[in-house]
PDB file of all heavy atoms in Angstrom:
ATOM      1  N   GLY A   1       4.062  -2.167  -2.258  1.00 95.00           N
ATOM      2  CA  GLY A   1       4.353  -2.614  -0.906  1.00 95.00           C
ATOM      3  C   GLY A   1       3.489  -3.799  -0.541  1.00 95.00           C
ATOM      4  O   GLY A   1       2.321  -3.860  -0.927  1.00 95.00           O
ATOM      5  N   GLN A   2       4.088  -4.769   0.138  1.00 96.00           N
ATOM      6  CA  GLN A   2       3.368  -5.926   0.663  1.00 96.00           C
ATOM      7  C   GLN A   2       3.620  -5.956   2.163  1.00 96.00           C
ATOM      8  O   GLN A   2       4.742  -6.205   2.600  1.00 96.00           O
ATOM      9  CB  GLN A   2       3.847  -7.219   0.015  1.00 96.00           C
ATOM     10  CG  GLN A   2       3.592  -7.262  -1.481  1.00 96.00           C
ATOM     11  CD  GLN A   2       4.124  -8.532  -2.120  1.00 96.00           C
ATOM     12  OE1 GLN A   2       4.898  -9.267  -1.530  1.00 96.00           O
ATOM     13  NE2 GLN A   2       3.693  -8.785  -3.343  1.00 96.00           N
ATOM     14  N   PHE A   3       2.584  -5.675   2.925  1.00 97.00           N
ATOM     15  CA  PHE A   3       2.726  -5.501   4.368  1.00 97.00           C
ATOM     16  C   PHE A   3       2.140  -6.718   5.090  1.00 97.00           C
ATOM     17  O   PHE A   3       0.942  -6.968   4.993  1.00 97.00           O
ATOM     18  CB  PHE A   3       2.045  -4.213   4.812  1.00 97.00           C
ATOM     19  CG  PHE A   3       2.395  -3.034   3.940  1.00 97.00           C
ATOM     20  CD1 PHE A   3       1.431  -2.401   3.182  1.00 97.00           C
ATOM     21  CD2 PHE A   3       3.700  -2.577   3.858  1.00 97.00           C
ATOM     22  CE1 PHE A   3       1.738  -1.312   2.376  1.00 97.00           C
ATOM     23  CE2 PHE A   3       4.024  -1.494   3.048  1.00 97.00           C
ATOM     24  CZ  PHE A   3       3.043  -0.861   2.304  1.00 97.00           C
ATOM     25  N   THR A   4       2.995  -7.449   5.788  1.00 95.00           N
ATOM     26  CA  THR A   4       2.564  -8.641   6.500  1.00 95.00           C
ATOM     27  C   THR A   4       2.379  -8.318   7.983  1.00 95.00           C
ATOM     28  O   THR A   4       2.749  -7.235   8.443  1.00 95.00           O
ATOM     29  CB  THR A   4       3.595  -9.774   6.330  1.00 95.00           C
ATOM     30  OG1 THR A   4       4.862  -9.325   6.831  1.00 95.00           O
ATOM     31  CG2 THR A   4       3.738 -10.163   4.868  1.00 95.00           C
ATOM     32  N   GLY A   5       1.830  -9.260   8.697  1.00 94.00           N
ATOM     33  CA  GLY A   5       1.637  -9.071  10.137  1.00 94.00           C
ATOM     34  C   GLY A   5       0.460  -8.182  10.476  1.00 94.00           C
ATOM     35  O   GLY A   5       0.352  -7.692  11.603  1.00 94.00           O
ATOM     36  N   ILE A   6      -0.444  -7.962   9.520  1.00 96.00           N
ATOM     37  CA  ILE A   6      -1.609  -7.117   9.764  1.00 96.00           C
ATOM     38  C   ILE A   6      -2.659  -7.972  10.483  1.00 96.00           C
ATOM     39  O   ILE A   6      -3.050  -9.027   9.982  1.00 96.00           O
ATOM     40  CB  ILE A   6      -2.176  -6.550   8.449  1.00 96.00           C
ATOM     41  CG1 ILE A   6      -1.071  -5.897   7.605  1.00 96.00           C
ATOM     42  CG2 ILE A   6      -3.313  -5.577   8.734  1.00 96.00           C
ATOM     43  CD1 ILE A   6      -0.312  -4.789   8.287  1.00 96.00           C
ATOM     44  N   THR A   7      -3.114  -7.518  11.641  1.00 95.00           N
ATOM     45  CA  THR A   7      -4.036  -8.298  12.462  1.00 95.00           C
ATOM     46  C   THR A   7      -5.371  -7.575  12.605  1.00 95.00           C
ATOM     47  O   THR A   7      -5.531  -6.440  12.151  1.00 95.00           O
ATOM     48  CB  THR A   7      -3.448  -8.531  13.872  1.00 95.00           C
ATOM     49  OG1 THR A   7      -3.429  -7.279  14.565  1.00 95.00           O
ATOM     50  CG2 THR A   7      -2.042  -9.109  13.801  1.00 95.00           C
ATOM     51  N   ASN A   8      -6.291  -8.252  13.285  1.00 95.00           N
ATOM     52  CA  ASN A   8      -7.588  -7.641  13.575  1.00 95.00           C
ATOM     53  C   ASN A   8      -7.655  -7.126  15.008  1.00 95.00           C
ATOM     54  O   ASN A   8      -8.712  -6.762  15.487  1.00 95.00           O
ATOM     55  CB  ASN A   8      -8.718  -8.642  13.310  1.00 95.00           C
ATOM     56  CG  ASN A   8      -8.595  -9.889  14.166  1.00 95.00           C
ATOM     57  OD1 ASN A   8      -7.869  -9.924  15.153  1.00 95.00           O
ATOM     58  ND2 ASN A   8      -9.302 -10.939  13.768  1.00 95.00           N
ATOM     59  N   SER A   9      -6.487  -7.106  15.669  1.00 94.00           N
ATOM     60  CA  SER A   9      -6.483  -6.712  17.085  1.00 94.00           C
ATOM     61  C   SER A   9      -5.692  -5.441  17.383  1.00 94.00           C
ATOM     62  O   SER A   9      -5.642  -5.012  18.529  1.00 94.00           O
ATOM     63  CB  SER A   9      -5.923  -7.858  17.933  1.00 94.00           C
ATOM     64  OG  SER A   9      -4.593  -8.147  17.554  1.00 94.00           O
ATOM     65  N   GLY A  10      -5.057  -4.859  16.383  1.00 95.00           N
ATOM     66  CA  GLY A  10      -4.296  -3.636  16.633  1.00 95.00           C
ATOM     67  C   GLY A  10      -3.792  -3.025  15.341  1.00 95.00           C
ATOM     68  O   GLY A  10      -3.777  -3.660  14.291  1.00 95.00           O
ATOM     69  N   TRP A  11      -3.401  -1.777  15.439  1.00 97.00           N
ATOM     70  CA  TRP A  11      -2.910  -1.033  14.280  1.00 97.00           C
ATOM     71  C   TRP A  11      -1.449  -1.368  14.010  1.00 97.00           C
ATOM     72  O   TRP A  11      -0.663  -1.562  14.928  1.00 97.00           O
ATOM     73  CB  TRP A  11      -3.044   0.471  14.525  1.00 97.00           C
ATOM     74  CG  TRP A  11      -4.467   0.930  14.559  1.00 97.00           C
ATOM     75  CD1 TRP A  11      -5.272   1.041  15.664  1.00 97.00           C
ATOM     76  CD2 TRP A  11      -5.254   1.319  13.448  1.00 97.00           C
ATOM     77  NE1 TRP A  11      -6.508   1.482  15.297  1.00 97.00           N
ATOM     78  CE2 TRP A  11      -6.537   1.665  13.942  1.00 97.00           C
ATOM     79  CE3 TRP A  11      -5.020   1.411  12.085  1.00 97.00           C
ATOM     80  CZ2 TRP A  11      -7.564   2.101  13.113  1.00 97.00           C
ATOM     81  CZ3 TRP A  11      -6.050   1.852  11.256  1.00 97.00           C
ATOM     82  CH2 TRP A  11      -7.297   2.190  11.773  1.00 97.00           C
ATOM     83  N   THR A  12      -1.078  -1.379  12.715  1.00 97.00           N
ATOM     84  CA  THR A  12       0.299  -1.595  12.277  1.00 97.00           C
ATOM     85  C   THR A  12       0.687  -0.444  11.364  1.00 97.00           C
ATOM     86  O   THR A  12      -0.043  -0.126  10.412  1.00 97.00           O
ATOM     87  CB  THR A  12       0.432  -2.927  11.496  1.00 97.00           C
ATOM     88  OG1 THR A  12       0.006  -4.001  12.341  1.00 97.00           O
ATOM     89  CG2 THR A  12       1.857  -3.151  11.037  1.00 97.00           C
ATOM     90  N   GLN A  13       1.826   0.177  11.650  1.00 98.00           N
ATOM     91  CA  GLN A  13       2.303   1.230  10.757  1.00 98.00           C
ATOM     92  C   GLN A  13       3.037   0.581   9.589  1.00 98.00           C
ATOM     93  O   GLN A  13       3.874  -0.300   9.780  1.00 98.00           O
ATOM     94  CB  GLN A  13       3.234   2.202  11.468  1.00 98.00           C
ATOM     95  CG  GLN A  13       3.625   3.367  10.566  1.00 98.00           C
ATOM     96  CD  GLN A  13       4.474   4.402  11.269  1.00 98.00           C
ATOM     97  OE1 GLN A  13       5.295   4.082  12.117  1.00 98.00           O
ATOM     98  NE2 GLN A  13       4.277   5.665  10.915  1.00 98.00           N
ATOM     99  N   VAL A  14       2.703   1.021   8.374  1.00 97.00           N
ATOM    100  CA  VAL A  14       3.349   0.509   7.167  1.00 97.00           C
ATOM    101  C   VAL A  14       4.033   1.666   6.452  1.00 97.00           C
ATOM    102  O   VAL A  14       3.591   2.815   6.535  1.00 97.00           O
ATOM    103  CB  VAL A  14       2.340  -0.196   6.240  1.00 97.00           C
ATOM    104  CG1 VAL A  14       1.730  -1.416   6.928  1.00 97.00           C
ATOM    105  CG2 VAL A  14       1.239   0.752   5.774  1.00 97.00           C
ATOM    106  N   THR A  15       5.129   1.358   5.767  1.00 96.00           N
ATOM    107  CA  THR A  15       5.846   2.366   4.997  1.00 96.00           C
ATOM    108  C   THR A  15       6.264   1.771   3.665  1.00 96.00           C
ATOM    109  O   THR A  15       6.514   0.567   3.554  1.00 96.00           O
ATOM    110  CB  THR A  15       7.113   2.868   5.727  1.00 96.00           C
ATOM    111  OG1 THR A  15       7.996   1.766   5.915  1.00 96.00           O
ATOM    112  CG2 THR A  15       6.762   3.471   7.073  1.00 96.00           C
ATOM    113  N   ALA A  16       6.334   2.610   2.666  1.00 96.00           N
ATOM    114  CA  ALA A  16       6.793   2.195   1.342  1.00 96.00           C
ATOM    115  C   ALA A  16       7.493   3.377   0.686  1.00 96.00           C
ATOM    116  O   ALA A  16       7.072   4.527   0.842  1.00 96.00           O
ATOM    117  CB  ALA A  16       5.639   1.728   0.470  1.00 96.00           C
ATOM    118  N   SER A  17       8.550   3.084  -0.025  1.00 94.00           N
ATOM    119  CA  SER A  17       9.248   4.076  -0.836  1.00 94.00           C
ATOM    120  C   SER A  17       9.243   3.539  -2.258  1.00 94.00           C
ATOM    121  O   SER A  17       9.626   2.394  -2.491  1.00 94.00           O
ATOM    122  CB  SER A  17      10.678   4.263  -0.328  1.00 94.00           C
ATOM    123  OG  SER A  17      11.349   5.217  -1.116  1.00 94.00           O
ATOM    124  N   PHE A  18       8.774   4.351  -3.194  1.00 93.00           N
ATOM    125  CA  PHE A  18       8.658   3.867  -4.574  1.00 93.00           C
ATOM    126  C   PHE A  18       8.836   5.014  -5.557  1.00 93.00           C
ATOM    127  O   PHE A  18       8.705   6.185  -5.207  1.00 93.00           O
ATOM    128  CB  PHE A  18       7.309   3.172  -4.796  1.00 93.00           C
ATOM    129  CG  PHE A  18       6.107   4.036  -4.515  1.00 93.00           C
ATOM    130  CD1 PHE A  18       5.510   4.778  -5.511  1.00 93.00           C
ATOM    131  CD2 PHE A  18       5.573   4.102  -3.233  1.00 93.00           C
ATOM    132  CE1 PHE A  18       4.399   5.576  -5.247  1.00 93.00           C
ATOM    133  CE2 PHE A  18       4.466   4.889  -2.941  1.00 93.00           C
ATOM    134  CZ  PHE A  18       3.874   5.624  -3.964  1.00 93.00           C
ATOM    135  N   THR A  19       9.154   4.642  -6.779  1.00 90.00           N
ATOM    136  CA  THR A  19       9.317   5.598  -7.871  1.00 90.00           C
ATOM    137  C   THR A  19       8.392   5.156  -8.991  1.00 90.00           C
ATOM    138  O   THR A  19       8.682   4.170  -9.673  1.00 90.00           O
ATOM    139  CB  THR A  19      10.777   5.636  -8.367  1.00 90.00           C
ATOM    140  OG1 THR A  19      11.631   5.915  -7.258  1.00 90.00           O
ATOM    141  CG2 THR A  19      10.966   6.702  -9.429  1.00 90.00           C
ATOM    142  N   PRO A  20       7.248   5.830  -9.165  1.00 92.00           N
ATOM    143  CA  PRO A  20       6.302   5.367 -10.179  1.00 92.00           C
ATOM    144  C   PRO A  20       6.847   5.527 -11.592  1.00 92.00           C
ATOM    145  O   PRO A  20       7.514   6.505 -11.913  1.00 92.00           O
ATOM    146  CB  PRO A  20       5.075   6.254  -9.960  1.00 92.00           C
ATOM    147  CG  PRO A  20       5.547   7.433  -9.186  1.00 92.00           C
ATOM    148  CD  PRO A  20       6.775   7.017  -8.454  1.00 92.00           C
ATOM    149  N   ALA A  21       6.552   4.519 -12.418  1.00 90.00           N
ATOM    150  CA  ALA A  21       6.859   4.602 -13.844  1.00 90.00           C
ATOM    151  C   ALA A  21       5.837   5.548 -14.491  1.00 90.00           C
ATOM    152  O   ALA A  21       4.876   5.982 -13.847  1.00 90.00           O
ATOM    153  CB  ALA A  21       6.786   3.210 -14.465  1.00 90.00           C
ATOM    154  N   SER A  22       6.026   5.851 -15.756  1.00 91.00           N
ATOM    155  CA  SER A  22       5.160   6.833 -16.417  1.00 91.00           C
ATOM    156  C   SER A  22       3.724   6.302 -16.546  1.00 91.00           C
ATOM    157  O   SER A  22       3.491   5.096 -16.612  1.00 91.00           O
ATOM    158  CB  SER A  22       5.718   7.197 -17.783  1.00 91.00           C
ATOM    159  OG  SER A  22       5.737   6.060 -18.614  1.00 91.00           O
ATOM    160  N   PHE A  23       2.784   7.226 -16.545  1.00 94.00           N
ATOM    161  CA  PHE A  23       1.369   6.891 -16.715  1.00 94.00           C
ATOM    162  C   PHE A  23       0.623   8.129 -17.175  1.00 94.00           C
ATOM    163  O   PHE A  23       1.039   9.257 -16.940  1.00 94.00           O
ATOM    164  CB  PHE A  23       0.761   6.327 -15.418  1.00 94.00           C
ATOM    165  CG  PHE A  23       0.849   7.247 -14.230  1.00 94.00           C
ATOM    166  CD1 PHE A  23      -0.110   8.224 -13.994  1.00 94.00           C
ATOM    167  CD2 PHE A  23       1.894   7.137 -13.328  1.00 94.00           C
ATOM    168  CE1 PHE A  23      -0.030   9.066 -12.891  1.00 94.00           C
ATOM    169  CE2 PHE A  23       1.984   7.967 -12.217  1.00 94.00           C
ATOM    170  CZ  PHE A  23       1.014   8.940 -11.997  1.00 94.00           C
ATOM    171  N   ASP A  24      -0.503   7.882 -17.867  1.00 95.00           N
ATOM    172  CA  ASP A  24      -1.426   8.966 -18.218  1.00 95.00           C
ATOM    173  C   ASP A  24      -2.402   9.199 -17.072  1.00 95.00           C
ATOM    174  O   ASP A  24      -2.740  10.327 -16.746  1.00 95.00           O
ATOM    175  CB  ASP A  24      -2.197   8.631 -19.500  1.00 95.00           C
ATOM    176  CG  ASP A  24      -1.292   8.494 -20.716  1.00 95.00           C
ATOM    177  OD1 ASP A  24      -0.239   9.168 -20.758  1.00 95.00           O
ATOM    178  OD2 ASP A  24      -1.629   7.711 -21.619  1.00 95.00           O
ATOM    179  N   ASP A  25      -2.891   8.092 -16.497  1.00 96.00           N
ATOM    180  CA  ASP A  25      -3.797   8.132 -15.350  1.00 96.00           C
ATOM    181  C   ASP A  25      -3.288   7.134 -14.321  1.00 96.00           C
ATOM    182  O   ASP A  25      -2.855   6.028 -14.680  1.00 96.00           O
ATOM    183  CB  ASP A  25      -5.229   7.755 -15.747  1.00 96.00           C
ATOM    184  CG  ASP A  25      -5.843   8.764 -16.698  1.00 96.00           C
ATOM    185  OD1 ASP A  25      -5.966   9.937 -16.300  1.00 96.00           O
ATOM    186  OD2 ASP A  25      -6.192   8.383 -17.821  1.00 96.00           O
ATOM    187  N   GLY A  26      -3.356   7.504 -13.050  1.00 96.00           N
ATOM    188  CA  GLY A  26      -2.896   6.610 -11.993  1.00 96.00           C
ATOM    189  C   GLY A  26      -3.850   6.574 -10.819  1.00 96.00           C
ATOM    190  O   GLY A  26      -4.427   7.598 -10.443  1.00 96.00           O
ATOM    191  N   VAL A  27      -4.026   5.379 -10.254  1.00 96.00           N
ATOM    192  CA  VAL A  27      -4.851   5.194  -9.059  1.00 96.00           C
ATOM    193  C   VAL A  27      -4.016   4.408  -8.054  1.00 96.00           C
ATOM    194  O   VAL A  27      -3.545   3.310  -8.351  1.00 96.00           O
ATOM    195  CB  VAL A  27      -6.161   4.448  -9.369  1.00 96.00           C
ATOM    196  CG1 VAL A  27      -6.948   4.183  -8.098  1.00 96.00           C
ATOM    197  CG2 VAL A  27      -7.003   5.235 -10.364  1.00 96.00           C
ATOM    198  N   LEU A  28      -3.823   4.982  -6.881  1.00 96.00           N
ATOM    199  CA  LEU A  28      -3.066   4.358  -5.800  1.00 96.00           C
ATOM    200  C   LEU A  28      -4.077   3.766  -4.824  1.00 96.00           C
ATOM    201  O   LEU A  28      -5.024   4.446  -4.422  1.00 96.00           O
ATOM    202  CB  LEU A  28      -2.212   5.424  -5.105  1.00 96.00           C
ATOM    203  CG  LEU A  28      -1.244   4.977  -4.032  1.00 96.00           C
ATOM    204  CD1 LEU A  28      -0.132   4.125  -4.632  1.00 96.00           C
ATOM    205  CD2 LEU A  28      -0.641   6.199  -3.338  1.00 96.00           C
ATOM    206  N   TYR A  29      -3.885   2.484  -4.452  1.00 96.00           N
ATOM    207  CA  TYR A  29      -4.871   1.886  -3.561  1.00 96.00           C
ATOM    208  C   TYR A  29      -4.285   0.803  -2.656  1.00 96.00           C
ATOM    209  O   TYR A  29      -3.281   0.194  -2.960  1.00 96.00           O
ATOM    210  CB  TYR A  29      -6.068   1.337  -4.336  1.00 96.00           C
ATOM    211  CG  TYR A  29      -5.782   0.243  -5.328  1.00 96.00           C
ATOM    212  CD1 TYR A  29      -6.005  -1.088  -4.994  1.00 96.00           C
ATOM    213  CD2 TYR A  29      -5.313   0.526  -6.604  1.00 96.00           C
ATOM    214  CE1 TYR A  29      -5.761  -2.107  -5.906  1.00 96.00           C
ATOM    215  CE2 TYR A  29      -5.075  -0.476  -7.520  1.00 96.00           C
ATOM    216  CZ  TYR A  29      -5.307  -1.794  -7.168  1.00 96.00           C
ATOM    217  OH  TYR A  29      -5.054  -2.793  -8.064  1.00 96.00           O
ATOM    218  N   PHE A  30      -4.961   0.618  -1.513  1.00 96.00           N
ATOM    219  CA  PHE A  30      -4.681  -0.460  -0.582  1.00 96.00           C
ATOM    220  C   PHE A  30      -5.656  -1.593  -0.890  1.00 96.00           C
ATOM    221  O   PHE A  30      -6.840  -1.349  -1.127  1.00 96.00           O
ATOM    222  CB  PHE A  30      -4.895  -0.015   0.875  1.00 96.00           C
ATOM    223  CG  PHE A  30      -3.847   0.929   1.379  1.00 96.00           C
ATOM    224  CD1 PHE A  30      -4.021   2.299   1.300  1.00 96.00           C
ATOM    225  CD2 PHE A  30      -2.674   0.441   1.945  1.00 96.00           C
ATOM    226  CE1 PHE A  30      -3.064   3.171   1.780  1.00 96.00           C
ATOM    227  CE2 PHE A  30      -1.704   1.307   2.434  1.00 96.00           C
ATOM    228  CZ  PHE A  30      -1.899   2.677   2.342  1.00 96.00           C
ATOM    229  N   GLU A  31      -5.159  -2.821  -0.856  1.00 95.00           N
ATOM    230  CA  GLU A  31      -5.981  -3.995  -1.104  1.00 95.00           C
ATOM    231  C   GLU A  31      -5.421  -5.150  -0.282  1.00 95.00           C
ATOM    232  O   GLU A  31      -4.358  -5.033   0.320  1.00 95.00           O
ATOM    233  CB  GLU A  31      -5.964  -4.364  -2.586  1.00 95.00           C
ATOM    234  CG  GLU A  31      -4.575  -4.739  -3.103  1.00 95.00           C
ATOM    235  CD  GLU A  31      -4.543  -5.112  -4.571  1.00 95.00           C
ATOM    236  OE1 GLU A  31      -5.552  -5.610  -5.094  1.00 95.00           O
ATOM    237  OE2 GLU A  31      -3.494  -4.906  -5.198  1.00 95.00           O
ATOM    238  N   THR A  32      -6.132  -6.273  -0.262  1.00 94.00           N
ATOM    239  CA  THR A  32      -5.567  -7.468   0.345  1.00 94.00           C
ATOM    240  C   THR A  32      -4.776  -8.217  -0.722  1.00 94.00           C
ATOM    241  O   THR A  32      -4.836  -7.881  -1.903  1.00 94.00           O
ATOM    242  CB  THR A  32      -6.675  -8.346   0.969  1.00 94.00           C
ATOM    243  OG1 THR A  32      -7.750  -8.494   0.045  1.00 94.00           O
ATOM    244  CG2 THR A  32      -7.188  -7.724   2.255  1.00 94.00           C
ATOM    245  N   ALA A  33      -4.012  -9.226  -0.306  1.00 91.00           N
ATOM    246  CA  ALA A  33      -3.075  -9.923  -1.193  1.00 91.00           C
ATOM    247  C   ALA A  33      -3.744 -10.481  -2.440  1.00 91.00           C
ATOM    248  O   ALA A  33      -4.834 -11.049  -2.375  1.00 91.00           O
ATOM    249  CB  ALA A  33      -2.374 -11.042  -0.431  1.00 91.00           C
TER     250      ALA A  33
END
């Protein structure tokens, strides 16, 4: 997911729907672009 419109003055609700490919180990994380 790439969520735009994120500001420093208020909260933004983000949503993503995804189907992960296979993995032995997985780490899900939020980051900047």
Side-chain angles (χ1 to χ4, degrees):
Q2 297 178 346
F3 313 116
T4 59
I6 309 303
T7 69
N8 60 16
S9 61
W11 291 92
T12 302
Q13 185 176 35
V14 297
T15 61
S17 180
F18 58 92
T19 305
S22 63
F23 58 85
D24 297 330
D25 295 299
V27 176
L28 186 67
Y29 61 99
F30 288 93
E31 62 180 331
T32 47

